[in-house]
Amino acid sequence: MKRLHVHVAVEDLAQSTQFYSTLFASEPTVVKDDYVKWMLDDPRVNFAISTRPGRAAGVSHLGIQAEDEAELAEVYDRLARAERPTIEAKATTCCYAKSDKQWIADPQGVPWETFFTYGESTVYGEGSLARLKEIREAEAMPQAAPDPAGASAYCAPAGVTAAMDDAQIKEIVRARYGGIAEAAGADSCCAPASSCCGDTAAGTPADKSRQMGYSDAELAAVPDGANLGLGCGNPQGIAGLKPGEVVIDLGSGAGFDCFLAARQVGAGGRVIGVDMTHEMLKKARENAAKISAANVEFRLGELEHLPVADSTADAILSNCVINLVPDKAQVYRVMKAGGRLAISDVVNTAPLTPELQADAALLCGCIAGASPVERIESWLAQAGFVDVRVTPQPESRELVASWAPGRGIENFVASATVEARKPGISRG
């Protein structure tokens, strides 16, 4: 049974301790020089007060305390659907306790934590509230609205990537794919349908997807508007999905791969699409409604902070986005024991020229951000994966060339399949 958690910052700890002990008709269960806590059963509340230098008095944060890891996963799964940034803090020390927790802020900016405490600590600790505050402040800053037409044509002027940090690159990618989604939402046969890597060549999304390895039967099986011609391969071909499995699609876009996976896992299975672009998420949900896809859901989230509970997925799919995930351990944690990766992505086969490295449009399309096979294998091994196999696809040369005609990028990158497994035996 879970508890509500309330944490109040106070100016005079002794005075507040006396007040709350009287209010609750109960003595505190934890008393420190700067922290006091009551574990109440009527009402069922974990109520804490603390005094910390530089912290304003008042309600610090609210929360839900889980009794075990299963309850923690249940609540975290619900919060993940709230479409707010989350901060995960595994094995953190905070408030004289050792806990696993996640932080989220409500639309008013009130912080909430979900946590499971499994030990005591002799120090107060810091937790992750400061990082959540940074995100809330960043959200409050005014943002210039991207120009959809411009976003669908470019990522940014060439020659600027060297000066960008990860946040700037992310916003450029977000603006580009938001523009693609909006342009495709124009419900026109002539709406732009740029490929993953900035395709300017003629061709419908279906034509491009056939080049990536999708069959006519697969193309016919999804709702209109789900296939935007984005990607660099067909991860379905190596996924080996089975009825009843849980699948996560990283960078799910308008839902193309999610809907194909949903057919394979059946009514007893579940598919979760994760995308950081509001416009893509809206389009994917509209597509799901067209076919009443009850076993598919789409969540707003960044891949380095996946809005999915630990040990959820039997399989993880991705099509041309894994190079943009800085924290491969996030992918690892959401997989069940024995879970597997089935990824299509771009790999670097020869060092890019300075001109290609500096082109932000190619960065958005995974080309400038592509890594050599050996580096991808090393990243995945370091994250804990086994049976790692990265296989370049020589037959992708023509497809790759179409992403930037006349620039010779097919001499530097290739499409590849990436397979790996989390150790252990899946229990289904």
Side-chain angles (χ1 to χ4, degrees):
M1 184 183 296
K2 296 174 279 292
R3 288 179 185 266
L4 178 68
H5 171 56
V6 180
H7 191 132
V8 177
V10 301
E11 294 178 349
D12 189 316
L13 194 70
Q15 185 182 59
S16 294
T17 300
Q18 181 180 6
F19 171 82
Y20 285 114
S21 294
T22 302
L23 177 65
F24 301 141
S26 176
E27 292 301 311
T29 55
V30 176
V31 178
K32 303 290 184 180
D33 292 340
D34 55 355
Y35 176 83
V36 177
K37 180 174 72 175
W38 291 259
M39 293 292 283
L40 306 172
D41 290 319
D42 184 18
R44 190 170 172 79
V45 177
N46 171 344
F47 187 90
I49 60 176
S50 66
T51 177
R52 307 288 291 167
R55 182 181 297 178
V59 175
S60 170
H61 60 273
L62 304 172
I64 298 174
Q65 180 177 4
E67 294 292 330
D68 53 41
E69 293 181 350
E71 282 190 352
L72 180 68
E74 174 197 341
V75 179
Y76 185 37
D77 196 54
R78 294 204 304 265
L79 292 180
R81 303 165 194 247
E83 300 187 3
R84 307 286 303 166
T86 58
I87 297 294
E88 183 174 19
K90 284 278 192 181
T92 188
T93 297
C94 184
C95 304
Y96 297 97
K98 297 177 181 178
S99 307
D100 288 343
K101 60 178 63 182
Q102 297 87 23
W103 290 93
I104 193 170
D106 74 5
Q108 287 68 238
V110 177
W112 281 77
E113 64 171 329
T114 300
F115 63 98
F116 164 56
T117 295
Y118 51 82
E120 297 181 355
S121 172
T122 58
V123 297
Y124 185 94
E126 292 300 330
S128 304
L129 190 55
R131 173 61 183 140
L132 184 67
K133 181 174 182 292
E134 291 175 6
I135 290 180
R136 284 158 46 207
E137 290 174 347
E139 281 190 318
M141 295 175 63
Q143 301 287 333
D147 175 6
S152 65
Y154 313 104
C155 276
V160 299
T161 55
M164 292 182 189
D165 59 22
D166 288 343
Q168 289 171 313
I169 292 171
K170 185 182 298 179
E171 287 310 309
I172 287 174
V173 173
R174 196 193 311 268
R176 171 177 168 74
Y177 287 101
I180 291 174
E182 289 186 339
D187 195 25
S188 165
C189 66
C190 300
S194 300
S195 82
C196 160
C197 296
D199 189 356
T200 58
T204 65
D207 289 336
K208 296 170 186 174
S209 294
R210 289 188 188 95
Q211 283 186 289
M212 297 174 205
Y214 291 94
S215 68
D216 287 338
E218 287 175 317
L219 298 177
V222 299
D224 290 341
N227 179 19
L228 300 182
L230 306 175
C232 58
N234 179 5
Q236 306 282 336
I238 58 172
L241 301 180
K242 304 178 183 66
E245 290 191 318
V246 178
V247 180
I248 298 173
D249 181 16
L250 305 182
S252 50
F256 182 37
D257 281 316
C258 288
F259 298 126
L260 292 177
R263 296 172 68 241
Q264 298 184 61
V265 301
R270 182 181 172 206
V271 179
I272 302 170
V274 179
D275 204 282
M276 71 173 183
T277 309
H278 286 275
E279 296 87 349
M280 282 293 185
L281 203 68
K282 178 176 181 291
K283 190 167 183 62
R285 288 171 175 167
E286 290 171 349
N287 290 331
K290 293 177 186 177
I291 59 172
S292 301
N295 63 340
V296 181
E297 64 173 295
F298 295 95
R299 299 181 183 180
L300 180 70
E302 297 178 347
L303 304 187
E304 61 267 46
H305 301 293
L306 280 173
V308 181
D310 292 2
S311 303
T312 294
D314 295 291
I316 289 182
L317 309 181
S318 173
N319 202 338
C320 208
V321 299
I322 200 70
N323 275 332
L324 302 177
V325 183
D327 185 2
K328 305 295 188 292
Q330 277 284 313
V331 180
Y332 185 84
R333 74 163 180 83
V334 303
M335 299 183 75
K336 296 178 182 177
R340 59 200 185 277
L341 290 180
I343 292 171
S344 293
D345 216 320
V346 176
V347 297
N348 186 222
T349 56
L352 293 175
T353 65
E355 176 194 5
L356 295 177
Q357 286 180 338
D359 192 329
L362 299 184
L363 178 69
C364 288
C366 314
I367 296 173
S371 298
V373 168
E374 296 78 10
R375 187 174 301 171
I376 295 173
E377 291 173 337
S378 175
W379 284 340
L380 292 173
Q382 289 173 13
F385 288 99
V386 297
D387 299 336
V388 177
R389 185 164 59 252
V390 182
T391 310
Q393 306 293 303
E395 66 273 18
S396 68
R397 186 176 176 85
E398 181 179 350
L399 172 66
V400 171
S402 72
W403 295 340
R407 302 191 65 182
I409 60 172
E410 66 274 18
N411 298 317
F412 302 96
V413 297
S415 177
T417 58
V418 181
E419 301 169 82
R421 183 177 58 84
K422 184 175 181 177
I425 300 174
S426 176
R427 298 180 181 177

